[in-house]
Structure formats: C-alpha cells, structure tokens
Amino acid sequence: MNGVQVLLIDDEVGYTDALAKRLDRRGLSVTAADGGPQALEIMASKSFDVVLLDIKMAGMDGIKTLRAIKRRHPEVEVVMLTAHANTDIVISSLAMGAFDYLLKPADVEELGRKIEDAAMRKRSNSK
C-alpha cells in the first residue's frame, strides 16, 4: 500500500490522530482534516487516492462533505466511517458514490484492505 495518499476527515481529533499514526505505520501517506471545510481546502491543493470520511460531524456533516468531494473530485474513492449503523444514511452515501463504509472503531486490518481496494479501483478507473 506504499504511496497511497489518504485524507482522513473526522472532527474527533484524538481518534483522527491515533488512526492516522496506525495507518502511517502501514506505509500510507495520511493527511488529517478536522471537518468538511478544512478537507475541501486541503483537496484544492493536494490530490488523494482515498478519503476516509466520518458521517457524523458538527457543522458540515459527512453526507454534505461527500457530495462536495464527489462534485469537485469525482475520481477520489471515499470510505465512510460511522459509529451509528443507520442503514438509510449508509445507502444514501453509497448511492452518492461512496466506495464503501465501515463501523467505528474500524479494525485497522479491515480498514487497510478497504483502502487498498479503493486505491486499486481509483487507479483502474484513471487508466
């Protein structure tokens, strides 16, 4: 998974910091954002393969952020993260173009596989 650029978007800074360190140890290049507006600002100047996006965030929630990401960067694959298994929201996010979703706290092994699958799909769609 070396070389995969990941943007982690979550307003829980402690969770974001811990997860970013764990993913970084797996050879991923992780950038963290504490919400949708900051993430969109970062994405305006840097490209990513995969976005990990929390659904429940204060201010601009994950669904609004997903919509903005897909409108501006349709090639980026987005994996939704949620602590609340709300089937309607998950189905809605998949319909808007999310690659997949995982329940928080996500198992790092499973999350690593999702990131790898999403990065491979992005690369195959870019050809």
Side-chain angles (χ1 to χ4, degrees):
M1 282 196 292
N2 289 339
V4 175
Q5 297 291 320
V6 177
L7 177 60
L8 174 56
I9 309 168
D10 196 314
D11 61 353
E12 295 177 43
V13 177
Y15 174 79
T16 304
D17 289 345
L19 184 57
K21 286 176 187 169
R22 293 179 80 187
L23 294 173
D24 193 56
R25 279 188 241 130
R26 297 175 144 290
L28 298 166
S29 177
V30 181
T31 302
D34 64 7
Q38 183 185 29
L40 295 171
E41 192 175 302
I42 291 168
M43 292 181 82
S45 61
K46 184 176 179 181
S47 63
F48 293 92
D49 299 303
V50 179
V51 170
L52 302 177
L53 175 58
D54 186 28
I55 290 176
K56 295 277 188 183
M57 295 186 292
M60 186 178 193
D61 68 16
I63 297 299
K64 289 177 186 169
T65 304
L66 172 64
R67 192 174 290 122
I69 289 170
K70 284 305 198 175
R71 187 173 46 250
R72 297 174 192 181
H73 309 279
E75 75 287 355
V76 174
E77 297 296 344
V78 180
V79 176
M80 305 301 287
L81 300 174
T82 182
H84 314 281
N86 182 323
T87 310
D88 292 337
I89 292 174
V90 169
I91 290 170
S92 175
S93 66
L94 294 173
M96 284 190 282
F99 176 77
D100 209 343
Y101 77 97
L102 284 172
L103 293 175
K104 286 170 59 175
D107 174 73
V108 177
E109 292 294 322
E110 185 177 5
L111 184 56
R113 286 190 296 276
K114 293 276 186 208
I115 292 169
E116 189 173 333
D117 291 347
M120 287 188 337
R121 181 163 134 186
K122 181 187 183 259
R123 290 184 179 138
S124 69
N125 288 341
S126 298
K127 292 180 182 179

